Amino acid sequence: MRLNALEIKEKIEVHFAETMSSSGDVPDELEEAENPAFEIGSQAIIEADHMPGMKGALATIAGAYETTAYSVTYYPTTGEEPVKDHKWVIHEEIEYAGEEPLKPGTEVTLIADHMEGMDGAKAVIESAVETNVYMLDFTTTTGEKVDNHKWIIESELAPIE
């Protein structure tokens, strides 16, 4: 059976929506944000375009935490090709991360599970930002429901006008 371009695009977007949801579990040591720009339960517009259907979606804030967020290139434990510049993994999702933020170029092992093949994967820190991170519930611009998406940083959200 051959699929046309629209059917392929729809299958990819559904797959991305499925991989964007999580259980909502967060690391025990992750601290809730004291003064987040977006309160839990409030709504915001996603400005990030990490995956298809995110940019422009209306999100409900499911969690707000203060931490260091990292963009990483990781090597999935599934043997797939490296995932370059994945946004975001938080400090508490890096094995033996210590107290201080990690510097770009640092090689680490991930203990995050929000993407298949991520838990236990070797990675390299590309960039770091100390910020509030948010877990979101939203419906993609293509109509797929996403629960407990990890992570969006504060600068990737816009208030509803």
Side-chain angles (χ1 to χ4, degrees), residues 74-120:
Y74 74 94
Y75 301 83
T77 59
T78 57
E80 308 267 334
E81 290 294 313
V83 177
K84 297 180 188 297
D85 199 28
H86 173 82
K87 294 179 180 164
W88 299 95
V89 174
I90 60 172
H91 193 78
E92 294 78 7
E93 295 175 324
I94 296 175
E95 189 172 58
Y96 309 119
E99 296 294 319
E100 297 299 313
L102 301 168
K103 297 191 180 330
T106 304
E107 295 181 10
V108 299
T109 299
L110 304 179
I111 52 175
D113 65 356
H114 34 103
M115 298 293 289
E116 185 178 352
M118 188 177 267
D119 191 16

Side-chain angles (χ1 to χ4, degrees), residues 23-54:
S23 67
D25 294 337
V26 298
D28 291 337
E29 62 276 13
L30 186 59
E31 295 183 23
E32 286 192 19
E34 288 186 30
N35 294 304
F38 302 93
E39 297 287 333
I40 294 173
S42 69
Q43 293 188 312
I45 302 296
I46 302 172
E47 292 189 332
D49 199 13
H50 301 171
M51 295 181 179
M54 282 184 96

